[in-house]
Amino acid sequence: MNVERPDTDAADAIADLWVDLAAEQREVGSHLQAAENRDTIGENVRRAIVADGLYVAVAQVDDEFDADPGTVLGFVMFSAGSELLATTATRGTIENLYVRPEYRDRGIGGELMATAEEKLAARGVDAVKLEVLAANEAARRFYRRHGYDPHRVQLEKPVESDNHSKG
């Protein structure tokens, strides 16, 4: 397996993987719609590729993944800086990390994460942030194993309409 920067010709295939990611996240409480956001994500993927903020894990001949050479096994999308307010640390963001389910627990996510962290460090970031859904315990375990600790906690509550609260 190689982790490499794709060209923009790969954007549609990566957007399809993002749709798979979003569909999986719906199962653990995400509000993102998957297919409905595909076109928008396709454009974001193209921008990230051009900005050197997206890398893919690609199967190679004779590797252990039993995938056709050239198959994209997963991807990571990231960006540096751009905080609105002044902070004490320049932070990079891991925006998306996804490995196809059949290739998980084989080190691919760790390689993608390490690549993003190296690229962000080279751009001068002091810390890397990411979001993970509270109910996604597998992802939370993965990130903890890679040194990520909770920094900020986002809380959410559904708003009840007057129709539900009257009675």
Side-chain angles (χ1 to χ4, degrees):
M1 172 208 49
N2 281 346
V3 174
E4 57 194 48
R5 182 179 177 187
D7 60 29
T8 55
D9 292 340
D12 287 334
I14 296 165
D16 289 340
L17 289 178
W18 184 91
V19 168
D20 294 343
L21 165 65
E24 272 187 44
Q25 288 180 338
R26 292 290 300 228
E27 295 173 16
V28 288
S30 174
H31 301 301
L32 282 176
Q33 295 183 357
E36 295 83 350
N37 286 307
R38 192 202 176 286
D39 291 341
T40 300
I41 286 302
E43 287 306 311
N44 285 344
V45 164
R46 282 177 186 78
R47 279 194 292 277
I49 291 169
V50 169
D52 195 26
L54 192 145
Y55 280 73
V56 292
V58 179
Q60 301 299 303
V61 176
D62 297 328
D63 68 15
E64 71 274 15
F65 297 108
D66 297 324
D68 291 333
T71 299
V72 175
L73 307 172
F75 74 95
V76 63
M77 189 183 315
F78 55 93
S79 61
S82 75
E83 301 278 345
L84 284 178
L85 302 174
T87 61
T88 59
T90 302
R91 297 186 302 173
T93 304
I94 304 279
E95 296 163 6
N96 296 287
L97 174 66
Y98 181 72
V99 175
R100 293 176 189 257
E102 63 269 31
Y103 302 113
R104 291 184 185 156
D105 298 318
R106 295 163 87 177
I108 297 168
E111 290 289 326
L112 288 165
M113 179 72 70
T115 297
E117 290 169 350
E118 288 169 17
K119 297 292 180 182
L120 289 168
R123 295 176 193 168
V125 305
D126 302 309
V128 179
K129 66 179 179 171
L130 54 82
E131 288 186 11
V132 61
L133 291 163
N136 192 344
E137 188 54 44
R140 292 173 62 200
R141 267 192 315 273
F142 171 82
Y143 292 124
R144 280 192 303 268
R145 278 195 319 267
H146 288 86
Y148 287 79
D149 293 315
H151 173 72
R152 179 180 212 108
V153 177
Q154 183 178 38
L155 305 176
E156 182 176 284
K157 166 186 157 180
V159 177
E160 295 180 351
S161 72
D162 285 342
N163 294 336
H164 295 295
S165 60
K166 291 179 181 177

